């Protein structure tokens, strides 16, 4: 992809779609749809997370009192009928959350493309009392479902005419309702930020790139890696940022004419700067500006002929569809599956079909065929060589990632020409980590440092936070210092939880004055936010703090006010889920067993809640919700009943500061004693392993995007804050900000404004968005008691069965 041309002036057109908020956080009643019958099937290419979606559909349907069928082999099973229609129960979808693929199968069906096949499918559905369907598949499968819905009345009339269906049944099943979920690793469906399976596919790609790096470095090789994406370059685009790729080819934004020379120039620059390897990502559907295919072997030939580099091609192929679903895909699929059932049961004969999507962190309902047509329009735009239009149609998430990549593609080692910009070099920048280490911090540092250096700024890394500043552990960052950092976990600069007021504001100000810092980037958790707030509120006393200051939320606890997500929390959840999967596997062959696992997070229950939802846990104990003996004993009884039904594993998560009295050891002993006739209990404290490991693709990409944005914003504010004496001085609140990701957008929030959102005593949000997902956790675990979230102090209370509960 070219770096010479400025990125597209992107303005999302997705907002014109008729979008409706989902039902998460709204009240539903257990058993409220008793007597209804629904069915779920998977179609098209398989994707990791489909099983989680099937599980959620079945269990939410059962919770609401529905009869739920699973149709095997997609449309083929619908046409063939018979044993392909399986009545789902709680146990039939137990133990599938962590499985890739789809347990109910998916198959191409030529018969369904013919009217006779659809006629048989309609009859089979009616014979099982079904006229409400959840389709999990790509745009082709969803289009087929809508055609089926449109023809339904005519199909039913024809069945009556042929005496294959009675008039009474025809009247009873006179309409068909459809709700879709998009299962596609390509993330090629418009109207949603992510499709089921995309994040898991990115995990497979990044694992492959990380594994190739050592051998490429050893032999000074260049690797060209082809990933899936026939008409969509999302996988290649995101992987290129997450893997520090030198170049990427995607169909939506092809390289300019003469890309061969640009590519070779880029690779040569990297080799001159000291890099021993080059990584290039290419979508299988990559094209040039004339619409002609660009293949991996074609790129290889260019590199070998012009640069004489040892170059290899690796085609990942179907390995991208394999493996366990990531934590993100498990949670996304569970949320979408539950919402699909609610949307289906909300529908009436006149309700148009919808597809369940995600926008930011909000579950939405989007008109199915409008989204399908928008998706097809992308291909039309590319065929017409209108690539800016194609990118716009992909939506905000794709646009923002492309813009971040285009900016990063322009970074290069500073030249002597840039170094002569003394007016820029006289305004040094400082970067430091404050708080606990988190995967993705290094990605932030790399992106920020490279962007700032490309603009001519000197960047100084402060080792071990403010504590290191007092020890003069300050180093000027070099270009090669941060190369390869994206894939490294932890914090290479080190970190410390000490805040400026704990050290002494006058001492910190003196060190700032000594190094003449003109801009500060703090990367970390609640401590980083608090540090920026302290400096913002003491600017009148300390002119050294009157410089642009920015905070990037980074910490596994995800407890920074003003942002729904923090860099590092996704990796931590994946570590938790991986450990829970291993614990369950360790008990294969043993008798009934319950595991109690303690996570980190302090008084923020994000890790425990999301880890429990992704791990299929029965309960998660957190500080935000009151728990007592009554609740613990109810969970013991629930687990005992679960074991009697034939399910042999149980899992409970506890945040490390959930309750001072009910420790993990106490809960373990209580469960072991009270449940001794039904199961044995074991407990495990996961500990600091949650802060380790390799950063997930999400954290690498989020860290890179945030680093780029802060470098752009900070350097702009520095120039705007230069006063007549030539120094940087500003006290306006907008120059001390936190880059927060809230719902649908990322924005810079003044820390003095964000303080209103913070509970300083407990270092958590006053209102955490993820609390609305806790009822879903309890519903999918088949609890007899469900929690209703209240707004009072973020707490929740238990309500009796039959009351309205939050879904």
């Amino acid at each position: 992809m070219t770096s010479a041309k400025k990125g597209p002036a992107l303005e999302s057109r997705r907002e014109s779609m008729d979008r409706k908020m989902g039902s998460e956080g709204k009240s539903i009643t257990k058993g409220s749809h008793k007597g209804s019958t629904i069915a779920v099937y998977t179609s098209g290419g398989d994707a990791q997370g489909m099983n989680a979606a099937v599980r959620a559909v079945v269990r939410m349907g059962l919770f609401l009192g529905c009869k739920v069928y699973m149709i095997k082999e997609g449309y083929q099973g619908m046409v063939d009928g018979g044993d392909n229609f399986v009545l789902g129960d709680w146990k039939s979808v137990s133990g599938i959350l962590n499985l890739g693929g789809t347990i109910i199968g998916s198959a191409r069906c030529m018969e369904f493309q013919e009217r006779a096949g659809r006629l048989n499918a309609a009859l089979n559905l009616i014979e099982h009392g079904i006229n409400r369907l959840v389709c999990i598949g790509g745009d082709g499968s969803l289009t087929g479902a809508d055609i089926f819905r449109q023809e339904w009345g005519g199909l039913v009339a024809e069945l009556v005419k042929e005496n294959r269906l009675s008039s009474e049944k025809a009247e009873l099943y006179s309409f068909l309702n459809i709700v879709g979920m998009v299962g596609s690793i390509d993330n090629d469906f418009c109207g949603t930020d992510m499709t089921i399976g995309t994040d898991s596919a990115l995990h497979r790609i990044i694992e492959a790139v990380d594994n190739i790096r050592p051998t490429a470095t050893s032999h000074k090789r260049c690797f060209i890696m082809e990933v899936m994406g026939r008409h969509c370059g999302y996988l290649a685009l995101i992987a290129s940022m997450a893997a520090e790729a030198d170049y990427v080819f995607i169909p939506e934004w092809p390289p300019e004419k003469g890309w061969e020379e640009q590519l070779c120039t880029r690779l040569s620059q990297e080799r001159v700067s000291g890099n021993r390897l080059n990584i290039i990502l290419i979508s299988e559907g990559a094209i040039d500006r004339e619409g002609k295919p660009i293949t991996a072997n074609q790129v290889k030939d260019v590199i070998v002929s012009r640069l004489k580099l040892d170059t290899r091609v690796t085609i990942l192929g179907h390995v991208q569809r394999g493996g366990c679903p990531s934590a993100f895909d498990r949670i996304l699929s569970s949320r979408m599956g539950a919402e699909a059932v609610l949307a289906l049961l909300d529908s009436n004969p006149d309700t148009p079909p919808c597809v369940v999507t995600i926008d930011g962190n909000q579950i939405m309902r989007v008109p199915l065929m409008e989204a399908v047509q928008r998706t097809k329009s992308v291909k039309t735009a590319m065929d017409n060589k209108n690539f800016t239009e194609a990118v716009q149609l992909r939506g905000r998430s794709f646009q923002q990632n492309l813009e971040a990549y285009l900016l990063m593609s322009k970074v290069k080692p500073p030249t002597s020409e840039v170094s002569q910009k003394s007016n820029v070099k006289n305004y040094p920048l400082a970067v430091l980590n404050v708080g606990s280490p988190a995967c993705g911090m290094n990605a932030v540092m790399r992106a920020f440092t490279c962007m700032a250096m490309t603009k001519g700024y000197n960047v100084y890394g402060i080792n071990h936070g403010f504590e290191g500043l007092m020890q003069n552990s300050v180093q000027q960052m070099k270009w090669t210092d941060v190369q390869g950092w994206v894939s490294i976990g932890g914090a290479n600069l080190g970190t410390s939880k000490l805040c400026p007021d704990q050290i002494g504001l006058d001492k910190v100000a003196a060190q700032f004055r000594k190094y003449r810092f003109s801009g500060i980037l703090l990367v970390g958790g609640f401590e980083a936010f608090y540090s920026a707030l302290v400096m913002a509120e003491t600017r009148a006393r300390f002119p050294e703090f009157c410089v642009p200051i920015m905070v990037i939320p980074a910490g596994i606890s995800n407890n920074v006010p003003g942002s729904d997500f923090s860099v590092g929390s996704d990796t931590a959840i994946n570590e938790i889920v991986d450990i829970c999967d291993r614990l369950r596997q360790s008990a294969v062959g043993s008798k009934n067993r319950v595991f109690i696992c303690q996570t980190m997070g302090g008084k923020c229950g994000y890790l425990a809640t999301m880890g429990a939802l992704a791990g299929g846990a029965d309960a998660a104990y957190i500080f935000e919700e009151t728990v007592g003996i009554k609740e613990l004993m109810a969970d013991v009884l629930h687990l005992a009943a679960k074991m009697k039904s034939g399910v042999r594993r149980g899992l409970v998560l506890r945040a490390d500061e959930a309750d001072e009295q009910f420790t993990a050891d106490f809960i373990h002993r209580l469960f072991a004693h009270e449940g001794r006739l039904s199961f044995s209990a074991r407990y495990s404290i996961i500990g600091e392993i949650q802060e380790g490991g390799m950063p997930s693709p999400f954290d690498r990409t989020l860290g890179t995007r945030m680093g780029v944005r802060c470098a752009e914003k900070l350097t702009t504010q520095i120039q705007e804050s230069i006063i007549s004496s030539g120094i940087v001085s500003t006290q306006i609140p907008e120059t001390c900000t936190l880059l927060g990701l809230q719902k649908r957008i990322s924005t810079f929030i003044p820390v003095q404004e964000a303080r209103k959102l913070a509970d300083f005593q407990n270092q958590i949000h006053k209102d955490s968005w993820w609390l609305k997902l806790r009822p879903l956790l309890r519903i999918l675990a088949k609890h007899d008691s469900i929690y209703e979230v209240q707004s009072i102090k973020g707490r929740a209370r238990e309500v009796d069965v039959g009351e309205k509960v939050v879904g």
Side-chain angles (χ1 to χ4, degrees), residues 469-666:
L469 176 65
M470 302 315 299
Q471 299 170 357
N472 295 305
S473 184
V474 181
Q475 66 185 71
Q476 183 174 349
M477 306 294 285
K478 299 177 182 178
W479 184 264
T480 54
D481 288 342
V482 295
Q483 299 309 303
W485 276 27
V486 170
S487 61
I488 301 174
N492 282 3
L493 279 181
T495 185
S496 170
K497 291 185 177 182
L498 287 180
C499 299
D501 58 344
Q502 294 173 299
I503 295 173
L505 291 170
D506 55 338
K507 296 179 181 178
V508 172
Q511 290 296 91
F512 277 18
R513 184 168 58 253
K514 175 180 177 180
Y515 291 101
R516 300 182 300 106
F517 293 139
S518 297
I520 313 293
L521 174 65
L522 306 178
V523 182
F526 200 95
E527 296 87 355
F529 157 71
Y530 177 74
S531 296
L533 180 61
V534 168
M535 290 190 286
E537 295 188 336
T538 55
R539 280 175 160 177
R541 292 169 50 199
F542 301 103
E544 295 80 7
F545 299 157
C546 295
V547 297
I549 300 171
M550 292 185 180
V551 178
I552 291 181
I556 68 170
S557 299
N558 196 32
N559 63 340
V560 180
S563 185
D564 292 342
F565 297 98
S566 295
V567 175
S569 58
D570 182 72
T571 303
I573 294 172
N574 276 284
E575 293 292 336
I576 292 168
V577 170
D578 183 58
I579 290 169
C580 291
D581 287 349
R582 291 169 184 259
L583 285 173
R584 281 199 172 111
Q585 189 180 40
S586 72
V588 172
S590 62
K591 295 182 179 180
N592 298 344
R593 181 162 293 170
V594 174
F595 292 97
I596 296 98
C597 294
Q598 180 168 292
T599 70
M600 298 176 77
K603 291 182 178 178
C604 179
Y606 179 81
L607 287 182
T609 297
M610 303 304 271
L613 189 56
D618 298 278
Y621 304 132
I622 63 174
F623 171 79
E624 290 90 344
E625 288 186 356
T626 303
V627 63
I629 290 293
K630 178 182 176 182
E631 289 79 16
L632 293 174
M633 283 303 302
D635 286 340
V636 172
L637 295 175
H638 154 70
L639 287 164
K642 179 178 176 179
M643 301 301 174
K644 289 181 180 179
S645 70
V647 178
R648 301 179 60 186
R649 303 288 172 264
L651 177 65
V652 172
L653 268 60
R654 176 191 181 273
D656 53 359
E657 294 185 28
D659 191 284
E660 293 181 356
Q661 305 302 320
F662 302 119
T663 64
D665 178 61
F666 176 88

Side-chain angles (χ1 to χ4, degrees), residues 19-24 191-194 332 335-336 339 356-366 396 564-565 742-745 769 772-773:
R19 307 166 66 79
K20 179 182 178 183
M21 286 286 295
S23 296
E24 282 184 339
T192 185
D193 286 344
M194 291 287 277
L332 176 67
R335 295 175 68 186
M336 284 185 168
E339 182 64 31
V356 178
T357 67
I358 188 165
D359 189 357
N361 67 0
Q362 296 178 308
I363 295 295
M364 311 290 288
R365 301 178 187 178
V366 176
R396 181 188 296 108
D564 292 342
F565 297 98
Q742 293 184 328
K743 295 181 180 178
R744 302 173 62 189
I745 59 173
W769 69 270
K772 68 181 180 182
L773 301 184

Side-chain angles (χ1 to χ4, degrees), residues 279-475:
I279 300 292
I280 298 168
L281 273 296
I282 181 169
S283 291
E284 60 179 330
I287 56 175
D288 63 17
R289 289 274 162 173
E290 298 303 316
K292 298 177 181 178
I294 297 177
T295 67
N297 284 321
Q298 180 183 349
V299 176
K300 175 187 174 181
D301 291 341
V302 169
I303 297 170
V304 171
S305 62
R306 299 194 183 195
L307 299 179
K308 311 302 181 186
L309 294 179
D310 186 359
T311 306
R312 306 296 172 91
V313 172
T314 298
I315 300 176
L316 295 184
H318 283 76
V319 72
Q320 296 162 85
R321 295 188 187 275
C324 296
S326 66
F328 181 93
D329 271 328
R330 300 185 198 193
I331 294 169
L332 176 67
S333 301
S334 297
R335 295 175 68 186
M336 284 185 168
E339 182 64 31
V341 174
L342 296 174
L344 197 59
L345 295 174
D346 283 347
S347 59
N348 57 53
D350 299 321
T351 303
C354 72
V355 60
V356 178
T357 67
I358 188 165
D359 189 357
N361 67 0
Q362 296 178 308
I363 295 295
M364 311 290 288
R365 301 178 187 178
V366 176
L368 173 59
M369 291 315 298
E370 186 177 348
V372 168
Q373 290 304 319
R374 183 68 57 87
T375 301
K376 292 180 178 179
S377 297
V378 177
K379 179 63 167 56
T380 301
M382 290 191 291
D383 289 342
N384 294 332
K385 302 181 181 60
N386 190 344
F387 300 109
T388 298
E389 174 80 0
V391 171
Q392 290 173 346
L393 290 167
R394 283 286 179 220
R396 181 188 296 108
S397 176
F398 190 93
Q399 294 171 30
Q400 290 176 345
N401 284 305
L402 177 58
E403 288 169 346
Y405 173 80
L406 290 173
L407 285 171
M408 284 300 295
S409 70
K410 297 174 185 177
V411 302
K412 55 185 177 181
T415 63
S416 57
E417 179 183 350
V418 174
S419 299
Q420 291 173 1
K421 295 182 179 179
S422 58
N423 63 319
V424 171
K425 288 175 67 66
N426 287 336
Y427 302 108
L429 311 179
V431 292
L432 65 160
N433 299 313
V434 186
S436 298
C439 287
M441 280 182 164
N442 291 327
V444 172
M445 292 297 180
R446 182 246 178 189
F448 179 86
T449 300
C450 289
M451 282 298 300
M453 290 182 68
T454 298
K455 293 173 177 292
Y457 286 85
N458 287 333
V459 181
Y460 289 83
I462 301 175
N463 295 292
H464 306 293
F466 288 104
E467 186 177 0
L469 176 65
M470 302 315 299
Q471 299 170 357
N472 295 305
S473 184
V474 181
Q475 66 185 71

Side-chain angles (χ1 to χ4, degrees), residues 598-795:
Q598 180 168 292
T599 70
M600 298 176 77
K603 291 182 178 178
C604 179
Y606 179 81
L607 287 182
T609 297
M610 303 304 271
L613 189 56
D618 298 278
Y621 304 132
I622 63 174
F623 171 79
E624 290 90 344
E625 288 186 356
T626 303
V627 63
I629 290 293
K630 178 182 176 182
E631 289 79 16
L632 293 174
M633 283 303 302
D635 286 340
V636 172
L637 295 175
H638 154 70
L639 287 164
K642 179 178 176 179
M643 301 301 174
K644 289 181 180 179
S645 70
V647 178
R648 301 179 60 186
R649 303 288 172 264
L651 177 65
V652 172
L653 268 60
R654 176 191 181 273
D656 53 359
E657 294 185 28
D659 191 284
E660 293 181 356
Q661 305 302 320
F662 302 119
T663 64
D665 178 61
F666 176 88
I667 295 171
H668 164 246
R669 288 187 285 112
L670 175 68
F671 278 41
H673 183 268
E674 296 298 329
R676 63 190 182 278
L677 298 179
S678 301
F679 56 81
S680 61
R682 300 286 188 274
Y683 85 102
S684 175
I685 297 177
I686 300 176
E688 277 70 16
I689 194 172
Q690 296 160 84
E691 295 177 335
M694 305 284 275
S696 69
F698 180 91
D699 282 330
R700 298 185 193 196
T701 307
L702 180 61
T704 298
R705 284 171 51 182
M706 286 187 159
V708 168
R709 285 203 65 189
C710 280
E712 290 281 297
K713 186 76 170 181
L714 194 66
T715 53
T716 299
Q717 287 190 344
I718 287 173
Q719 295 300 314
E720 294 173 347
S721 303
I722 298 174
I723 59 177
S724 58
S725 61
I727 66 170
V728 174
S729 181
T730 177
Q731 292 193 37
I732 61 174
E734 288 75 18
T735 57
C736 188
T737 57
L738 177 144
L739 179 53
L741 189 62
Q742 293 184 328
K743 295 181 180 178
R744 302 173 62 189
I745 59 173
S746 57
T747 184
F748 289 95
I749 308 165
V751 293
Q752 290 166 297
E753 181 181 324
R755 72 171 301 162
K756 296 179 292 187
L757 307 173
D759 176 348
F760 286 93
Q761 180 180 353
N762 298 304
Q763 294 194 1
I764 57 176
H765 299 259
K766 284 183 178 178
D767 185 19
S768 298
W769 69 270
W770 48 266
L771 283 172
K772 68 181 180 182
L773 301 184
R774 289 187 60 79
L776 177 61
L777 166 64
R778 306 288 283 189
I779 288 171
L780 297 182
K782 195 182 178 181
H783 275 259
D784 289 331
S785 59
I786 311 297
Y787 288 92
E788 181 175 29
V789 175
Q790 294 181 326
S791 59
I792 302 174
K793 296 182 180 179
R795 292 282 176 161

Side-chain angles (χ1 to χ4, degrees), residues 106-148:
S106 178
R108 299 189 182 278
C109 180
M110 299 304 296
E111 292 98 321
F112 191 79
Q113 297 180 25
E114 303 295 331
R115 184 175 178 83
R118 294 193 291 275
L119 201 65
N120 288 335
L123 180 61
N124 289 327
L125 289 172
I126 293 174
E127 286 179 344
H128 288 87
I130 302 166
N131 65 339
R132 291 184 171 94
L133 291 175
V134 176
C135 174
I136 307 172
D139 60 334
S141 300
L142 296 174
T143 300
D146 187 63
I147 292 173
F148 192 35

